[in-house]
Amino acid sequence: GVASCTMKEEDLVKLKAEARDLLAAALAQGCRSEDIKDFLRQLKRSRAHSNKKHWLWLARLGRVLYYLVFLVLPAVLLLSVLLLSLINWYEEAPCLVPQPYFLGEILRPMSDCEFCNGVTAAPREKNISVYDFVKKYAYTSKPVVVEGAASDWPATRTFSYDYFKGLYQQRPEAIEHQIEEGQFFSYNSNIRDLKGLFELSDEEVSMVTERWYIGWSTSDDFIGKELMKHYSTPYFIPPTGQQLNTTEWIFMGAPGPGAGIHIDSVLFPSWQAQLSGTKTWTLIPPPECYYVCHQLNATVYKGDIIVVDTNQWYHSTHIHAGDISITIGSEYE
């Protein structure tokens, strides 16, 4: 009504005059008063419908905002926190395959396939110089087998199941230390930790009843120093890349399957010396490089050392018939 209108009096008077003129013009054109009333009613309904659609749109928008604020955003924040926690855990505990396979695949950075493009075989070198090793292999992620590089190490004669058992018996706390801070890989065996390994019966050690293949990391200073009395950092590793710490990786087992196919999450490239037996490595490029790179096989004989970036190459191992396989390895910077 006029009483609630905020328009000025002169504007209302002018509007009423214009309305009378429009009504007179419509009547002069032959429009009946009933037609004019119907038109006004339709106009009113149209405006009401328009207002209703406007409010419905606002209601829907409000519902969407409600779901976003109270459901979607909290869920996204929670998932972000969980993902960051997983990434932190993954990065703070680098190791040789402790994480679930699917998690490693999700968090693994994409590889630049240049490291394997054109590589059709793992080269075999002998008496390679430090200069040539650095230039060709050290930091290129290209694998290489250096023949005879460990053949003069005492470890090729002393390392055995009995030697390792006797060494750890000299320092029993080193077993608990390894269980708490190191890593142990059972693979397909029933041996669950270092304590279980050194409790095997003579028949189990000789694998009369069941073959086994296992691996573990050293995490005790005494053990590390004793082991290094029997081997040294490979001669071709540059001084700037000498062994980072006293952590070694030891793998031991009977002929047959070794480690299943996997990719590692360690900080640097690594070397592994074959101290007993013969082992063949299968090296597979990451999925994003399948169409430009090739699968490789590299056989490592007693006294040979293989250098491979296990963060780039998926790999598995197989032990040849004959002697038990024993290897030791570490990372270099």
Side-chain angles (χ1 to χ4, degrees):
V2 176
S4 62
C5 187
T6 58
M7 295 179 66
K8 295 180 180 180
E9 185 66 27
E10 56 268 25
D11 292 333
L12 287 172
V13 171
K14 184 178 179 181
L15 183 60
K16 288 179 181 179
E18 290 177 351
R20 282 195 298 268
D21 292 342
L22 287 172
L23 179 59
L27 292 172
Q29 292 292 330
C31 295
R32 297 179 303 169
S33 59
E34 289 79 5
D35 295 333
I36 295 172
K37 291 178 180 179
D38 287 340
F39 172 75
L40 292 174
R41 280 194 293 269
Q42 291 175 13
L43 181 62
K44 184 178 181 180
R45 284 198 296 270
S46 176
R47 287 173 60 85
H49 181 67
S50 177
N51 288 336
K52 184 177 180 181
K53 288 177 63 178
H54 175 72
W55 286 109
L56 283 174
W57 182 84
L58 287 177
R60 289 169 182 164
L61 178 61
R63 190 178 299 115
V64 170
L65 290 174
Y66 172 84
Y67 286 128
L68 281 174
V69 172
F70 294 102
L71 296 177
V72 177
L73 288 179
V76 170
L77 289 173
L78 178 60
L79 288 174
S80 300
V81 170
L82 290 175
L83 182 59
L84 286 174
S85 299
L86 285 173
I87 291 173
N88 289 335
W89 168 69
Y90 188 84
E91 291 180 343
E92 289 174 3
C95 47
L96 295 172
V97 250
Q99 293 87 3
Y101 177 81
F102 77 92
L103 181 59
E105 280 300 290
I106 291 172
L107 300 180
R108 180 181 66 84
M110 296 288 284
S111 295
D112 178 357
C113 301
E114 186 60 30
F115 82 92
C116 58
N117 190 9
V119 179
T120 57
R124 302 186 70 85
E125 300 275 3
K126 195 169 185 179
N127 299 322
I128 189 171
S129 67
V130 173
Y131 175 82
D132 286 339
F133 175 72
V134 171
K135 182 179 178 181
K136 296 164 65 175
Y137 306 111
Y139 309 108
T140 64
S141 296
K142 291 179 171 59
V144 61
V145 176
V146 183
E147 296 180 352
S151 58
D152 61 346
W153 289 359
T156 59
R157 301 181 296 276
T158 56
F159 281 10
S160 65
Y161 174 88
D162 290 335
Y163 167 79
F164 293 128
K165 182 177 180 179
L167 176 61
Y168 277 90
Q169 283 178 339
Q170 294 179 46
R171 187 177 174 85
E173 60 268 31
I175 295 180
E176 295 302 322
H177 192 188
Q178 195 283 329
I179 292 173
E180 293 173 0
E181 299 186 17
Q183 291 178 285
F184 188 92
F185 302 111
S186 300
Y187 298 115
N188 294 322
S189 73
N190 293 318
I191 305 170
R192 297 305 172 204
D193 54 35
L194 209 56
K195 182 179 180 181
L197 174 65
F198 296 136
E199 290 177 347
L200 295 178
S201 66
D202 291 341
E203 282 191 350
E204 290 171 322
V205 171
S206 60
M207 305 186 207
V208 173
T209 55
E210 182 180 0
R211 74 169 295 274
W212 47 264
Y213 181 85
I214 50 86
W216 75 91
S217 65
T218 63
S219 55
D220 184 87
D221 289 341
F222 171 79
I223 298 296
K225 290 175 181 177
E226 288 298 311
L227 291 174
M228 288 205 72
K229 292 178 180 179
H230 302 274
Y231 82 95
S232 59
T233 301
Y235 71 85
F236 50 82
I237 301 293
T240 56
Q242 293 296 307
Q243 192 164 317
L244 298 173
N245 48 47
T246 56
T247 298
E248 300 92 353
W249 297 93
I250 299 171
F251 296 92
M252 179 169 59
I261 185 168
H262 65 282
I263 197 167
D264 294 338
S265 176
V266 291
L267 296 176
F268 303 102
S270 56
W271 57 266
Q272 188 177 114
Q274 191 73 34
L275 305 177
S276 175
T278 303
K279 179 190 292 185
T280 290
W281 290 61
T282 298
L283 305 177
I284 303 173
E288 60 269 26
C289 301
Y290 279 176
Y291 296 105
V292 295
C293 299
H294 304 274
Q295 176 177 311
L296 314 177
N297 288 321
T299 298
V300 189
Y301 300 94
K302 181 179 179 179
D304 293 346
I305 296 178
I306 185 171
V307 178
V308 59
D309 188 346
T310 56
N311 294 311
Q312 295 281 10
W313 292 91
Y314 287 80
H315 52 285
S316 63
T317 58
H318 186 89
I319 316 306
H320 291 223
D323 292 336
I324 186 174
S325 174
I326 301 176
T327 66
I328 190 168
S330 188
E331 298 171 65
Y332 65 91
E333 187 174 4

